[in-house]
Amino acid sequence: MQETSTDRENLKKKNLNIFSHLIHRFIDIGKNRKRGDIILREDKGRYFLELDGKAVYSKYSPDKEAARLIKEANLEKADVCVFFGLGGGYHVEEFLNRNRTADAIIIEPLFENLYEIAGLRDFSFLMQGERVSFFTYDMLDEKSFFSVILSYPDSGIYFFSLNAYKNYYQDKYKHIFNLTERIKKARNTNRNTAKKFGRRWIRNTLRNLPLFIDAHGLELLSGRLAYPAILLGAGPSLDLLSPHISMLRERTFIIATDTSIRWCRQNGVIPDIVITVDPQYWNSRHLDYVDKSNCLLVTDPAVYPSVLHKEGLSALFINSALPLVSFFSRWTGFKMSLAAGGSVTTSAWDLARLCGADIIMMAGVDLGFPQRRLYYKGALVEEYSLVKSSRLRSPHDNIIPVYFDAGLRREKCDTGYTYTNSRMEVYKTWFEIEVGKTVFPRTVRISKGGVDIKGIEYISPPEMSNLPYIRDNIDNILKDIRDAALIKKNMQKSSQVFYILKELIQDISDKAQKGLEITRDINITQDTFTKIEAIIFDIKRNPVFPLINLLIQDVVDNLIDARTEDSVIKNYAVILKAIEDSTHIYMEEIDYVSPLYK
């Protein structure tokens, strides 16, 4: 039966309804719509898509071409694949058919392309429940994109694009590819960080609970400082600011990262706000000499306890993404968080933005190693290197591994070239994305030598001398905030919350043990699976399960491919054992700090 124009229009309307449902946006089919880059062509009864005068895929055997491309891309182990461009969708359909348990995320670079694409073929295969997520580039919400992909193991995240899309939309392609790679690195970093600091986070948070249970959060700072801000990192270029810092302090408010506190003391300047998020003991030593009476501390609740256990300290707490902190947020008064880019400096930038700064001037944020150095002169790390040095090991030998453990390379900077590595590249990408999102507040650099960051230009400090004097205003605002943020211990309330946590952890432990006993049953029946799945369902409903989940991700990521009933049972046993082991870690830490709550 010969196809009519009405059939083609009905197909287009059907597909547009599918696209609208997936992207949660109405697609206008009126005559006044804006044209896209994709053109639907017809040749001897065959319909195909054209981009920049070239076919997006094979005109004659698009399904066979898709099968070949997906096979060559080695996507068999993918848990999710990010597809840059829908095109005819043959490659997406082939992927979904080959990988029955994998998901697809589609990003079409131009919203208007969907009207022409809709006239090609039936796209009903995209309606597979939660397996398919669909974005258009202009509507891409990076936070939503992050939240979707971060639920997958980094080893299972893949990226694919047809060459026609890759070549025509080069900038958009690079952006999405880099964004996906950044998420994979973040996922890997989160897992490794959890393995490295898991116990330390738990112990610190439990010991600090009486001090933050009634404390204030960033709400007290939000929008209160609509003035120029200086952000002090700890890179070598910070030394270049020494002659100008006194003048700048009269015209700005200063946010100092914990690692820059020594530089502030060396230069006789008191920062207005000090930010710290690291849970380690050695990091806490940066704050040994912080001026408690004139500095406001912004901190994660999981910092090393000695940071907070100081008489007369004023602190505002970040509602961090750590599951234990999130659990306690049911009882705390602070709800605001900061963007986490993997560094205290990225959090400091977001803090300046939250304060209401109209311009953020960064110094010592080098994201590299100017003059082959890591920090400013006299930094705690340099002192530690000297202490660890010997006749056969120079101070520089103690620092060299930091350069090379993430791939040392040269990169352009405003003084020529400097050295950097892939870890610093992650932070650079974060700044470029965040700064590129908005024109306000403006972000500039006031110290030379760091790597070039797109969207952040250099301005010499003397140019800031024409800014108005605002020091009295800053002091008055921050004095009121410091008075309100004075830390007060509440043992009664924290004890109640502490024992609620203990009971919930014990409940998960008991259920995991019960589930493990069932997996050891020799006779596997359907009832066996039903009982185990019911136990896991109950465990996941427990309010503290996210705490356990943080510690078992490495185990979950490495589960075997379950192809038989026996391997499914083995996977259940591995998961339940990992859950039980994680509850033991929590109970050991709970027992360790229990004397505080008696």
Side-chain angles (χ1 to χ4, degrees):
M1 182 177 175
Q2 189 172 7
E3 183 185 61
T4 66
S5 59
T6 302
D7 294 332
R8 185 61 53 175
E9 284 301 314
N10 288 336
L11 174 67
K12 182 174 288 188
K13 288 178 182 179
K14 176 184 175 181
N15 285 331
L16 289 174
N17 285 331
I18 292 172
F19 296 159
S20 295
H21 174 79
L22 289 170
I23 66 175
H24 307 291
R25 176 177 173 182
F26 174 71
I27 301 176
D28 182 17
I29 60 174
K31 294 181 179 179
N32 295 324
R33 70 185 185 279
K34 183 181 174 182
R35 290 189 65 85
D37 299 322
I38 294 280
I39 299 174
L40 179 65
R41 299 288 193 193
E42 187 265 338
D43 180 22
K44 298 179 182 178
R46 291 190 180 92
Y47 286 85
F48 63 95
L49 299 177
E50 205 173 72
L51 178 61
D52 195 28
K54 302 171 185 175
V56 174
Y57 47 82
S58 170
K59 296 180 185 179
Y60 306 104
S61 302
D63 49 349
K64 291 183 179 179
E65 181 185 53
R68 176 180 59 80
L69 291 173
I70 294 301
K71 183 179 180 180
E72 290 175 354
N74 297 317
L75 303 180
E76 293 84 3
K77 295 183 179 180
D79 292 297
V80 64
C81 185
V82 178
F83 290 96
F84 180 73
L86 173 61
Y90 299 101
H91 55 308
V92 179
E93 185 176 18
E94 178 69 19
F95 171 79
L96 293 172
N97 288 337
R98 280 175 175 260
N99 303 53
R100 291 292 183 179
T101 59
D103 300 334
I105 299 174
I106 305 164
I107 300 175
E108 180 59 37
L110 192 66
F111 172 76
E112 288 77 15
N113 286 346
L114 294 179
Y115 184 82
E116 292 289 295
I117 291 173
L120 178 68
R121 60 186 290 241
D122 189 348
F123 282 91
S124 296
F125 70 88
L126 293 177
M127 301 295 286
Q128 300 200 27
E130 296 182 357
R131 288 191 69 195
V132 176
S133 300
F134 202 167
F135 299 90
T136 56
Y137 187 87
D138 63 311
M139 293 177 60
L140 185 64
D141 177 0
E142 289 182 1
K143 288 186 178 179
S144 298
F145 189 54
F146 263 61
S147 64
V148 170
I149 300 187
L150 279 175
S151 61
Y152 301 94
D154 54 282
S155 60
I157 301 172
Y158 285 71
F159 184 90
F160 183 88
S161 175
L162 295 169
N163 284 332
Y165 275 89
K166 178 181 177 180
N167 295 333
Y168 189 76
Y169 297 107
Q170 291 184 22
D171 290 342
K172 292 179 179 179
Y173 169 85
K174 289 176 182 177
H175 177 213
I176 300 302
F177 177 80
N178 290 334
L179 194 60
T180 304
E181 288 299 305
R182 178 184 160 202
I183 295 171
K184 288 173 67 174
K185 288 178 182 178
R187 182 69 174 76
N188 180 263
T189 300
N190 289 348
R191 185 180 62 198
N192 292 336
T193 304
K195 287 170 63 177
K196 183 177 180 180
F197 296 125
R199 277 186 177 270
R200 175 51 58 194
W201 279 333
I202 297 166
R203 181 174 297 186
N204 289 358
T205 306
L206 292 176
R207 289 182 65 187
N208 293 335
L209 179 60
L211 299 175
F212 70 74
I213 193 72
D214 272 345
H216 290 283
L218 302 173
E219 290 81 0
L220 291 186
L221 269 176
S222 181
R224 295 290 302 276
L225 296 169
Y227 300 103
I230 288 182
L231 190 168
L232 300 180
S237 72
L238 186 59
D239 289 325
L240 301 175
L241 199 66
S242 296
H244 313 286
I245 190 63
S246 297
M247 175 272 293
L248 289 169
R249 189 176 185 274
E250 295 179 347
R251 294 162 172 81
T252 64
F253 67 95
I254 298 176
I255 297 177
T257 57
D258 44 19
T259 45
S260 68
I261 292 298
R262 278 199 168 204
W263 182 89
C264 293
R265 291 187 67 234
Q266 292 168 8
N267 287 273
V269 61
I270 300 173
D272 298 296
I273 301 170
V274 176
I275 181 169
T276 183
V277 294
D278 196 305
Q280 300 176 90
Y281 164 74
W282 275 106
N283 197 78
S284 72
R285 298 303 306 270
H286 292 298
L287 301 168
D288 283 350
Y289 303 103
V290 68
D291 188 332
K292 295 180 297 183
S293 59
N294 292 298
C295 282
L296 175 67
L297 184 67
V298 171
T299 179
D300 189 289
V303 292
Y304 198 79
S306 63
V307 171
L308 301 178
H309 291 255
K310 292 181 171 71
E311 192 69 30
L313 180 69
S314 294
L316 298 179
F317 288 86
I318 304 164
N319 185 20
S320 72
L322 295 176
L324 187 54
V325 174
S326 297
F327 172 74
F328 288 141
S329 69
R330 293 168 170 82
W331 294 273
T332 61
F334 52 91
K335 308 298 180 186
M336 297 186 74
S337 59
L338 292 176
S343 162
V344 67
T345 308
T346 56
S347 295
W349 180 89
D350 199 44
L351 175 61
R353 181 197 58 77
L354 181 142
C355 287
D358 50 24
I359 182 171
I360 302 173
M361 296 175 274
M362 303 198 303
V365 183
D366 299 327
L367 307 186
F369 316 115
Q371 300 159 0
R372 300 194 180 190
R373 291 174 50 220
L374 297 178
Y375 296 96
Y376 58 86
K377 293 176 182 176
L380 182 64
V381 174
E382 288 198 349
E383 183 178 294
Y384 180 74
S385 306
L386 287 168
V387 171
K388 296 286 287 184
S389 63
S390 65
R391 185 169 60 87
L392 300 177
R393 185 177 180 85
S394 73
H396 195 66
D397 290 337
N398 295 313
I399 294 176
I400 282 177
V402 180
Y403 295 143
F404 292 100
D405 68 349
L408 189 68
R409 64 176 182 273
R410 287 208 318 167
E411 190 163 322
K412 282 184 64 176
C413 70
D414 46 22
T415 58
Y417 287 90
T418 188
Y419 286 94
T420 186
N421 60 24
S422 58
R423 185 183 294 114
M424 297 296 179
E425 180 67 25
V426 172
Y427 306 146
K428 176 187 173 183
T429 302
W430 186 93
F431 274 113
E432 289 180 343
I433 290 173
E434 294 299 321
V435 171
K437 285 180 180 177
T438 177
V439 295
F440 187 87
R442 183 186 177 199
T443 303
V444 300
R445 289 185 297 128
I446 54 173
S447 62
K448 281 189 171 184
V451 299
D452 290 342
I453 304 174
K454 184 180 178 181
I456 302 179
E457 61 179 328
Y458 170 77
I459 294 180
S460 65
E463 292 182 52
M464 298 293 121
S465 61
N466 59 353
L467 291 173
Y469 177 88
I470 58 169
R471 177 44 47 189
D472 291 342
N473 293 351
I474 297 294
D475 288 343
N476 291 333
I477 293 170
L478 286 173
K479 183 182 185 305
D480 291 342
I481 295 175
R482 286 197 305 271
D483 290 344
L486 194 65
I487 289 182
K488 298 173 185 176
K489 186 182 292 187
N490 188 333
M491 288 306 305
Q492 182 178 0
K493 183 178 177 181
S494 58
S495 294
Q496 293 171 351
V497 174
F498 176 80
Y499 286 108
I500 290 172
L501 171 69
K502 186 174 182 179
E503 289 177 10
L504 291 170
I505 294 289
Q506 187 60 56
D507 178 66
I508 289 182
S509 180
D510 293 342
K511 284 185 169 65
Q513 289 176 17
K514 183 178 178 181
L516 278 171
E517 290 173 5
I518 296 173
T519 63
R520 298 185 186 109
D521 194 335
I522 298 175
N523 300 314
I524 300 173
T525 65
Q526 184 57 46
D527 187 51
T528 306
F529 291 102
T530 302
K531 288 179 180 178
I532 294 174
E533 287 167 1
I535 287 172
I536 291 177
F537 179 76
D538 284 344
I539 288 174
K540 287 184 175 181
R541 286 197 307 173
N542 189 303
V544 298
F545 176 70
L547 283 62
I548 305 300
N549 196 40
L550 176 73
L551 301 182
I552 68 171
Q553 279 306 303
D554 201 43
V555 173
V556 173
D557 289 352
N558 290 292
L559 287 176
I560 60 173
D561 187 11
R563 298 182 182 274
T564 64
E565 287 187 350
D566 187 52
S567 60
V568 171
I569 287 293
K570 285 180 180 178
N571 278 351
Y572 279 140
V574 169
I575 291 173
L576 289 166
K577 185 67 171 69
I579 290 173
E580 184 186 35
D581 291 345
S582 296
T583 62
H584 289 167
I585 290 174
Y586 273 95
M587 294 306 290
E588 287 172 6
E589 295 303 324
I590 285 171
D591 290 342
Y592 179 85
V593 301
S594 284
L596 292 173
Y597 296 95
K598 290 181 178 178

